[in-house]
Structures are given as C-alpha cells and as structure tokens.
Amino acid sequence: MDHPAVLPLYQAWTAVGPDSRRHALAGIDTPGPIALRSRYRHLHDAQAPAGPLAPELTTAAWQRILDLETEGDLAVQSGELERATAVFAQLAKLEPTTGHRVVLVHARIGAGDVARARDRFDEAIAAYEEAVSIAGSDRYRFGELRASVALGYLALAYSSGNRATELFRRAATLAEELGDPLYGANTALGLAECLERADDLDGAIALARTAFAAFGQVGSLIGQANAAHRAGALLHRVGRLDEAAPLLEQAYGWYTTIGDPVGLTNTLSGLGDLFLDRQEFDLSERWYAEGLRQAEATQLPRARAHALQDVARVSRGRGAWSQAVEEFGRALAAYREIDDLGGVWHALDKIAEAQAELGGTSNVARTRLESVYSIEEFRAGHDDERSQREYRDRFGPAYSRALAAATDADDAAAFAVVADCLAGRRLAGLIGNGGPIPASDAALLQGLLAQADQRFVQRRRARTAEPGTREQRIRLLGAFGIRHGLAERAETSLDDQLAAVYLPPERDGEPLLAAIPAIAYLLEVLIDPAVPDLVRWMWRAPGGRPRLGSSPLGDTARDVLTTLGGPDRIHLRTGDLQPVSKVLPPELLRSLRADDAAALLIVPVGDFWMVPWSGLPLSDDTVLGERVRYAICPSLTVQRLLAERKKETSAVVATADVWRSPLVSGHDLSGVDPARLTLRPLATPAAARKRLRDGSDMMIVVGHGRPAPGLGHYLELDRNEWLVPADLLGVSTPRRLALLVCEAASTTGPRPSDPVSLATLALAAGSDEVLATLGELADSWPATQYADDILTGMAGATLPEALHLATRKLLTEDGTVDEPLFSWAVLAAIGTL
C-alpha cells in the first residue's frame, strides 16, 4: 500500500509509551483507506491498550498485512469472492500478537463480508460475532464498530428490527466516541432502514439524507451511492418519483464506476420500479433484465431472487396472470433457498393476487395460508416475545389477506389455522410441548415487583393525618421506582420463557375443527389485524358445517371493547354490550335464542377476550349466560389439547381445598351448600401455595388480585404473600380451580398474543377448567351469592353447567339483570365444554 500514513502509523503502532505514540501521529490527517483508518482511530482511542501494540512487527510484515486487507476489501466490492476468501484466510495467519488481535478481527470481518455477499448468513453471523468477541476482549473498539454495523444489516434481513436497532445504536455510540464520521453515516443509514421497517418513512428519508450528506463530506463514493439508493427507494415508496429518479440515477453511475455488483443490481431494480409505476413496461423490463443478468453473472443469490421477482412484476403489470404465477413461483423458490422471509411473503402475496385474477379462490386460500406458515416458522424460531410480536405486526396484512381468502373460499380449516395463530401459540406450546418448563428467575423478578407494589398500596391505605411528610413521599416514590424499574425485566423474563415454547401451527385445520365437542355451537371472533374496523368470525351449529363471515365493527362497539380493557368497565351493564352483540353472526344469535339446550364454545381473540359473555344480550330480555352453557378458550389448539386431557377426568367432586385471604372482607363462602361440597380450609398461605402448585381435585382461592405494570397481575394470598404468573410455570395446578380474585383471567394492554393470566396459565399447568374473573369482582350480595351457587353446582356438574344454572337462578331476582356487570357477569368458565 502506497500512502503517506503507512510509516507514521507503523511507528505509532510499535511505539513505547504515549509520548512516542503522540509524536509519531503528529500532523497526520485521518487516512481514507479502511486498513489505515481503522488503525488511526484505534491509536487515538483513549480506551485502547497502551503501546507498543505489536513490538516485534517488522515494516515488511506491516506492509504485507495492509496490502492483504486492502486487496480483500476490493475483491469483495468487485464480487471476486473466491479471491477474497483466499486473501482473508491468508490474512488470519499473519496475526502478529496474541493479546491484541486487530489483524484477526479484520480477517473475520472480511470472512463475514464474503459470506454475507454469498447470502450464507449463518457463516456471516458467526464470523462477525467472533470479530465482536475478540475486539471486545482486546479493547479494539473500532473493530467492534465495524462488525456491529454488519450484524445490524443481517439482523434486518434475518432477525428483527428491534435487534437491528440495538446493534446500530451501539455502533452509533462507538462511531461518535471514536470520532469516525464515515461509520456515523453508516449507522444513520442502518437506522433509516430500521425506521422503514417500523413504517416511519419520513424519519427514514430524513436519516438517509443525513447519511448521504455525511458520506459526501468525507468523500466516500460507495457511501454516497448506498445512501442515494436508499433515499431514492424511500422517496419512490412514498410516491415522490421526481425526487427519487435523480438519486437512483446518481447511485447507478457511482456503482458502475466503483464496480459494486450488489449496489448495481439493487439500483437497476429501483430504476425499473420507476418505469413500472409509470406503466412503461418495456423500459422497466429492460432494467430488470439487466439486473438479473448482473446478479447471475456475479453469483449473487439474493440479488437474483429480487431480479426474478422484478421480472414477474412486469408480467403482473401487463395482466399476463398465468405467466405471472409461473414467474413469481421461480422467485419464491429463489427466496426460499436463501431463507428470506420478506421475499417469500411478497412472492406468495403476488402469486395469490394472480390466482385471484384467474378465478381460483381455493388456490388463493391455500397460497395465503402458505404465507402464514412461513411467518409462523420465523416467529417460532425466535425465543423472545418482542421479536415474535414484531413479526406478527409487520406481516399483519398477510394474516388479514389469509382470513379474507379463507372466507371467500369458504375454507373453514384455513380460517381456523390463521385465527389460531393470531390467538397466540404460547399457551398451546406449554400444554403440548411434552412437559412443563421451569420458572427460573421469572418468579423471583415478579415477586420483587409484587412486593414493591404491595408496599406502595399499603402506604396508601395507611395514610395518616400528615399525608405529605417527607418520609412518606420518599417511601412512596421508592416503592414506585422499584415497581416500575423492575417491570420491564419481570415482563421480559416471563414473556421470553413463554416465547421459548411458541408452537408452530399445524398445516391442516381440520383436526382443530374435529376436536370441537359435537354437542356444541362454536364462535371464534377477532378484529382483522390489518383492517381495524372489520370483525371476522367463524361459527358452527352442533353437527353443522362451519360458516365464515365478517361484520363492521363500528365506533360504538369499538368504544365498548376499549372500555372493557380499562378501569371504567365497572360502570357497564348488560345493555352497554348490545353493540358487541351486533357484530356477532346474527344466525348464531337466533339459533342460541331458539335452542333450549344450547352449549357454546367461544374462542375470543384479542380485544374480545375481555367481554363478560354471561351478560351479552341475545335479545332485549335475554342474556347469553341464562340461555346457554358456555366456556371460553384461548385458542382452538388449546381447546383440542384440553379436550384430549379432559376425557380422562370426571366432573364429580365432593371436597374442595380453600384458601381465603384474611385481607378480604367479602366472599366468605357461607352460601356454599355443605351437603353437596365440603370445604377444607388450608391453614396458611404457604399451604395454599403448595396446594396450588401440586395438584388436587378442586381448589377455591379468595383474595385480592392486582394488575401491575410489566407483571400483568398477581394474587395477594396474605400480607407479603403473593402468587405471580411465573409461579404457575413448571407445576401441576388443581384439576378444577376457582379463582374469586379480581383480574384473574384479565389481560393487560392490547398485545397480539395469548391472553396470558393466572387463569390461562393454570389451564396450561393441568387445570381442566377454571372459574375466574374478567376484570374486577364486586363484594356485593349478588356477586357473593352467584359465586357460592356456581361453586355448589360444580360438585356434580361441569363448570359451564354450574355457571349456567347459577346465572338462571340469579337473574330470576328482580333487578339483578340491571346490576353492573362486575357484580356477576365477569365470572367466566375458562376451558372447554
């Protein structure tokens, strides 16, 4: 390498002491070539080890190392990947030190660059992560910066936007601290893609323009090309074609000059897109064909897949639907070879569109379902709930279009699979994974959070005549700080444990439908994930064929569902649920009104989980709970697993273990008929906890339940004794469980996942049926008598039967139906029929 900084940097690299290093670096400007700039930044890093960094390194070896690094980088840029592979393998053997392995870090980054160019993402990730590890242990922060940026882009392609954002932010911090504007621009460009992933297109455009300007200031041609291409593509996406065109043309010119095949193929695709949007099909086809030729000539599998997709889009634009199906099929195969979920989804989406134009509704439904399978495989492959949620949100249109296609094709099995994915797959995984998972540290974290919350609550209860004293404020704020400081960790711990058992969907929904009790009606209902003003549903009469349909949600019904998720729900009465009734299948409601022995299985997805179904009006003078035996279940897969388990059990019980917290004033269970059900009080909260976790025929728990940020919910067994959700992991809960506890079956916040609560976790831990509350339960006479009647009925009948009989009895009392719903209707049968 011939550069004026080569010798001074060598002298600084081998210098003894900081003064010698400073003297060697005096007057040297930041060099451009990465082999030199990396060492220049490292020598100026205050956190770098003291010199000499390689005392026995000769000038000839120094020059040889720099030459190889430069040769390898240029080979990657020009697509000469075999040569680059050989160069970086040779470079790794030239590492001159054992404790300051800068050369080895560069060799591993180069190997990652080669693997990334070949779309061998496992190899690339391993190489970059090894580089980060070595750089971290040897205090080589510039090497960590380079590898982190590369990992950020891989996270965008193969992991989640959240993970990519974390990597780019870490890299941005390093770039700022090391004073490197070029990598600062690179991280801005990476964060622009993260914002694009999050649909913040204006923010993404602004960051891409920032990166473009920064690359221009440091004279990086490749950086300018990358930023121009990204900004042009984003501007095109928002319809600003006049601004996009010159940027894409600039990028094309720069990539041609540089000889970067990846950038060139990407820009050829972008230019083709401009003409495709203008319906100038011949010109767009010309750009796309050149992109395909370049990708195949340089053996770039990702670029080839994109180019095949582009060529198919021209056929789509021309209305050549059969040809489009065939060509998108080739793109689909190419995307599957490189495991590109976004590409797979887009190819399947376009195949389904073309099939719809050809009139094949059943083919469309199957193709849409295939896209959901692909997304769910990725979701199940992640062991953190945040990434699983991101995929569900990002590909909301895929689920939406699959539901619509299943409805159009009258394909109930396909609808069942897609709706089950939206209902969540973690509880099903807990039941179906062959054994419980250990609670590890989740219970500890959640316990600390509950303890802090209890201190906060008890301080509020015990307010004295001097509520504003300094000591009290300090303690309140201290408890509040602990409470909220631990919330994220506690939630993450539990959610990520549950994410680890996320169950991929079965490819056939028929077994889900076949497992529904033959005697029962079925209702599955959810809000469309991409059309928030549309309710989709599936219902079935006993022995009948499932029927699919949809209803407009409407502002009034939406307001009711929103209210049910918050504290104002305690003011709702049966009449307030009328708008919810109107979005359900009218034929189902008519059938339930006409059937004197109706049994109903309800699978309420998302916002519908919190509906107090017993109080749902079937007509002006009848509510569901008095007319129908019903149970609600988190998903059809959970229902099938519960049905298989329940076949081995009996509904008859004679004795129930009881724990009633000394902190509650109501629900003393005095109305339970002792001739039918013997109550066996437990002596201590420790005994109650043990019984809750080691199984029995039946158990009743009366206590205060509290929602808490992050934690979701916990049960106050006694003062400083609580049961948190993580306590029900890895245990065996009572076969029949009654939780007379506020919020026991509630969910906190609108999250597209399973309705995880104490009640639903109990189902996963061994309970066949759980009596629990959807919201607050009053201490009023109706609530107390109603609960006692349900418990008495459970001695000789299933929970849905006991709930039904108790509801009919309760509503014979004058005026009871007009009581607030939290006085009775929030008690629900969780499980199956």
Side-chain angles (χ1 to χ4, degrees):
M1 173 180 284
D2 184 16
H3 192 283
V6 169
L7 183 58
L9 286 174
Y10 170 74
Q11 293 171 340
W13 203 260
T14 55
V16 178
D19 291 339
S20 299
R21 180 184 294 183
R22 281 194 295 271
H23 178 74
L25 293 173
I28 299 177
D29 294 329
T30 308
I34 186 63
L36 298 176
R37 194 171 93 253
S38 60
R39 289 161 172 85
Y40 178 86
R41 295 297 184 205
H42 185 48
L43 287 165
H44 282 86
D45 182 7
Q47 296 187 28
L53 300 180
E56 299 179 3
L57 184 66
T58 65
T59 55
W62 172 262
Q63 185 70 56
R64 178 61 176 154
I65 288 168
L66 297 179
D67 288 343
L68 283 174
E69 287 185 19
T70 303
E71 181 184 354
D73 290 336
L74 291 174
V76 172
Q77 287 182 26
S78 62
E80 300 174 76
L81 301 182
E82 291 296 335
R83 183 162 70 91
T85 299
V87 167
F88 289 123
Q90 185 179 1
L91 181 67
K93 298 175 183 178
L94 297 180
E95 173 57 64
T97 71
T98 57
H100 194 63
R101 295 162 289 175
V102 169
V103 175
L104 183 57
V105 168
H106 291 179
R108 298 310 297 145
I109 290 173
D113 292 343
V114 173
R116 182 176 161 200
R118 288 174 166 160
D119 283 304
R120 297 176 181 172
F121 64 92
D122 288 335
E123 294 177 23
I125 291 170
Y128 291 136
E129 288 187 341
E130 184 182 353
V132 168
S133 176
I134 296 171
S137 64
D138 291 8
R139 289 190 287 169
Y140 176 36
R141 296 203 298 162
F142 193 84
E144 182 187 351
L145 166 61
R146 290 182 62 190
S148 295
V149 170
L151 282 170
Y153 282 108
L154 285 171
L156 277 171
Y158 300 110
S159 183
S160 69
N162 287 313
R163 174 60 176 150
T165 300
E166 291 171 356
L167 287 162
F168 284 127
R169 284 179 176 165
R170 168 61 178 160
T173 299
L174 288 171
E176 182 177 2
E177 291 178 356
L178 293 169
D180 194 88
L182 186 57
Y183 266 99
N186 270 317
T187 57
L189 199 57
L191 288 168
E193 291 203 43
C194 294
L195 290 178
E196 181 184 8
R197 173 76 64 84
D199 285 331
D200 182 1
L201 298 184
D202 290 337
I205 290 169
L207 271 178
R209 287 191 181 279
T210 297
F212 181 75
F215 283 126
Q217 288 175 356
V218 298
S220 171
L221 206 59
I222 185 67
Q224 286 178 281
N226 290 338
H229 170 255
R230 175 55 46 200
L234 287 164
L235 288 164
H236 179 199
R237 186 173 167 187
V238 297
R240 293 155 63 179
L241 272 62
D242 291 341
E243 296 175 69
L247 284 167
L248 291 172
E249 289 166 357
Q250 278 184 296
Y252 174 68
W254 282 324
Y255 283 132
T256 302
T257 300
I258 298 166
D260 182 347
V262 175
L264 189 59
T265 54
N266 287 339
T267 309
L268 287 167
S269 175
L271 288 166
D273 289 347
L274 289 175
F275 290 102
L276 185 64
D277 273 5
R278 294 167 177 161
Q279 296 192 330
E280 297 180 42
F281 299 124
D282 290 344
L283 287 173
S284 65
E285 187 173 38
R286 204 173 301 163
W287 287 110
Y288 290 151
E290 176 60 18
L292 179 58
R293 188 192 68 77
Q294 289 275 355
E296 291 181 337
T298 52
Q299 298 182 331
L300 298 174
R302 177 177 299 281
R304 176 177 177 272
H306 291 332
L308 287 170
Q309 179 98 320
D310 288 338
V311 170
R313 290 166 60 216
V314 177
S315 296
R316 174 176 174 267
R318 287 171 170 156
W321 301 114
S322 296
Q323 184 176 349
V325 169
E326 181 180 341
E327 290 174 346
F328 279 120
R330 286 199 287 270
L332 174 63
Y335 281 124
R336 280 182 167 152
E337 285 180 6
I338 60 173
D339 203 25
D340 184 326
L341 174 60
V344 167
W345 138 243
H346 282 294
L348 286 167
D349 182 57
K350 298 302 179 286
I351 290 171
E353 285 183 3
Q355 289 171 332
E357 293 289 341
L358 294 169
T361 55
S362 60
N363 289 335
V364 173
R366 290 294 139 184
T367 301
R368 295 289 186 197
L369 192 55
E370 192 65 35
S371 71
V372 171
Y373 292 143
S374 300
I375 297 162
E376 288 292 305
E377 287 173 2
F378 266 73
R379 289 181 77 187
H382 286 272
D383 59 3
D384 65 296
E385 197 268 347
R386 184 176 61 169
S387 293
Q388 290 175 354
R389 195 185 329 176
E390 178 186 317
Y391 277 103
R392 191 283 192 189
D393 290 342
R394 178 184 169 196
F395 292 101
Y399 296 94
S400 173
R401 293 168 195 176
L403 290 169
T407 302
D408 291 342
D410 197 24
D411 189 336
F415 187 99
V417 171
V418 180
D420 227 50
C421 294
L422 293 169
R425 310 289 297 166
R426 300 185 296 167
L427 292 169
L430 275 178
I431 300 174
N433 72 342
I437 62 173
S440 81
D441 65 341
L444 173 61
L445 285 171
Q446 292 191 312
L448 289 171
L449 180 59
Q451 184 179 40
D453 183 71
Q454 280 295 301
R455 289 203 303 272
F456 181 73
V457 171
Q458 288 165 15
R459 287 287 176 182
R460 286 197 306 181
R461 285 178 183 161
R463 275 190 158 178
T464 64
E466 299 179 1
T469 65
R470 177 183 299 178
E471 180 183 6
Q472 186 178 21
R473 284 199 301 270
I474 291 172
R475 290 183 178 179
L476 284 172
L477 290 172
F480 191 80
I482 295 171
R483 174 186 180 193
H484 288 272
L486 283 175
E488 183 177 351
R489 291 181 61 205
E491 180 177 13
T492 298
S493 180
L494 177 62
D495 277 347
D496 289 352
Q497 283 186 291
L498 297 179
V501 295
Y502 192 95
L503 189 70
E506 297 180 10
R507 300 186 72 84
D508 183 6
E510 292 294 348
L512 297 178
L513 299 174
I516 298 166
I519 62 166
Y521 289 85
L522 166 71
L523 170 64
E524 184 164 34
V525 59
L526 68 156
I527 296 174
D528 188 289
V531 188
D533 58 354
L534 186 67
V535 173
R536 296 195 178 275
W537 40 257
M538 172 172 63
W539 77 278
R540 189 206 71 177
R545 183 177 59 83
R547 302 182 186 184
L548 310 176
S550 62
S551 308
L553 178 58
D555 291 341
T556 306
R558 186 196 312 280
D559 289 344
V560 173
L561 292 176
T562 300
T563 301
L564 287 169
D568 288 342
R569 60 188 167 221
I570 62 172
H571 304 299
L572 294 176
R573 289 171 165 77
T574 56
D576 295 317
L577 297 182
Q578 190 68 50
V580 177
S581 296
K582 290 181 179 178
V583 306
L584 302 180
E587 290 182 76
L588 170 63
L589 300 186
R590 284 195 295 269
S591 298
L592 294 176
R593 288 195 297 266
D595 192 336
D596 292 331
L600 173 65
L601 176 69
I602 308 171
V603 182
V605 180
D607 298 76
F608 283 95
W609 178 262
M610 289 297 294
V611 172
W613 294 94
S614 288
L616 185 84
L618 292 181
S619 65
D620 290 340
D621 56 0
T622 307
V623 294
L624 187 140
E626 65 178 319
R627 188 71 190 171
V628 177
R629 291 179 293 119
Y630 78 90
I632 63 174
C633 197
S635 71
L636 284 174
T637 302
V638 169
Q639 195 283 143
R640 180 172 61 83
L641 295 168
L642 291 178
E644 293 173 357
R645 191 169 71 192
K646 197 174 181 182
K647 290 177 184 176
E648 305 170 1
T649 63
S650 167
V652 177
V653 291
T655 304
D657 296 305
V658 176
W659 173 254
R660 183 172 176 273
S661 168
L663 303 178
V664 299
S665 57
H667 295 285
D668 60 5
L669 306 182
S670 60
V672 175
D673 186 350
R676 298 175 62 185
L677 182 66
T678 299
L679 302 181
R680 183 168 54 202
L682 296 164
T684 65
R689 176 190 297 276
K690 184 175 185 298
R691 179 58 72 207
L692 271 166
R693 291 163 53 87
D694 66 7
S696 64
D697 279 340
M698 184 173 175
M699 184 172 181
I700 303 166
V701 181
V702 183
H704 290 302
R706 303 195 181 285
L711 180 62
H713 177 265
Y714 67 93
L715 164 57
E716 187 181 16
L717 296 171
D718 198 350
R719 194 175 306 279
N720 297 323
E721 295 282 349
W722 52 85
L723 187 82
V724 297
D727 285 329
L728 297 186
L729 299 181
V731 302
S732 179
T733 51
R735 185 172 62 83
R736 310 183 77 191
L737 179 61
L739 296 172
L740 302 185
V741 176
C742 292
E743 312 274 4
S746 298
T747 58
T748 56
R751 58 168 48 185
S753 189
D754 309 71
V756 172
S757 64
L758 289 174
T760 55
L761 286 172
L763 289 181
S767 297
D768 291 333
E769 50 187 29
V770 181
L771 175 66
T773 52
L774 293 162
E776 296 81 2
L777 178 63
D779 287 337
S780 61
W781 173 86
T784 300
Q785 187 59 50
Y786 186 47
D788 289 350
D789 286 343
I790 296 170
L791 295 172
T792 299
M794 289 176 68
T798 65
L799 173 55
E801 290 168 339
L803 180 68
H804 172 53
L805 292 173
T807 305
R808 293 183 64 179
K809 177 183 175 184
L810 177 75
L811 296 183
T812 60
E813 301 285 342
D814 289 340
T816 304
V817 73
D818 295 321
E819 289 279 336
L821 291 166
F822 89 116
S823 288
W824 62 281
V826 294
L827 281 168
I830 316 291
T832 188
L833 294 164

